[in-house]
Amino acid sequence: MFDFLMYLKVFLIGGAICMLGQVLVITTQMTSARILVTFLLLGVFLECVGAFEPMKAFAGSGVTVPIMGFGYSLAKGAIEAGQSQGLLGIFTGGLAAAAGGIAIAVTMAFLVSLIFNSKTKK
């Protein structure tokens, strides 16, 4: 069944996260790359302190789709693999958990590069 309130909640939470990123772009001297890394590390931090799961339960893909969700996936994979496989799992678990998203991103970037002719910014 169509759950309008869940869609609204996901949209508002995800939009608020993206709005926060835009506010950082406009009001600070931070580069886009630094903002990206800040959000990624925020996702890692929230997973490490156990705050990301309740946020995910409340907002669903509103928090997992932005870059914070990628940091969460990396941290969760590293934690789980570290517990089951030891030291090697810490290094391999994050990439194994996020491999699907990474593969899609690389594939789509390649396909878009075939369609469009990119130019350097002047």
Side-chain angles (χ1 to χ4, degrees), residues 29-119:
Q29 296 295 320
M30 291 176 72
T31 63
S32 297
R34 288 185 183 202
I35 294 170
L36 177 105
V37 170
T38 300
F39 277 104
L40 182 120
L41 291 176
L42 180 61
V44 169
F45 175 76
L46 290 172
E47 172 58 22
C48 289
V49 297
F52 202 91
E53 283 296 329
M55 290 172 54
K56 182 179 163 189
F58 175 75
S61 62
V63 293
T64 59
V65 170
I67 193 68
M68 283 177 26
F70 183 66
Y72 153 76
S73 294
L74 289 172
K76 184 173 179 144
I79 291 168
E80 289 176 354
Q83 291 171 343
S84 65
Q85 300 171 6
L87 186 61
L88 184 61
I90 293 171
F91 294 105
T92 61
L95 288 177
I102 294 169
I104 291 291
V106 170
T107 303
M108 294 308 294
F110 175 71
L111 291 176
V112 168
S113 73
L114 292 176
I115 298 170
F116 297 99
N117 185 15
S118 63
K119 296 178 179 73

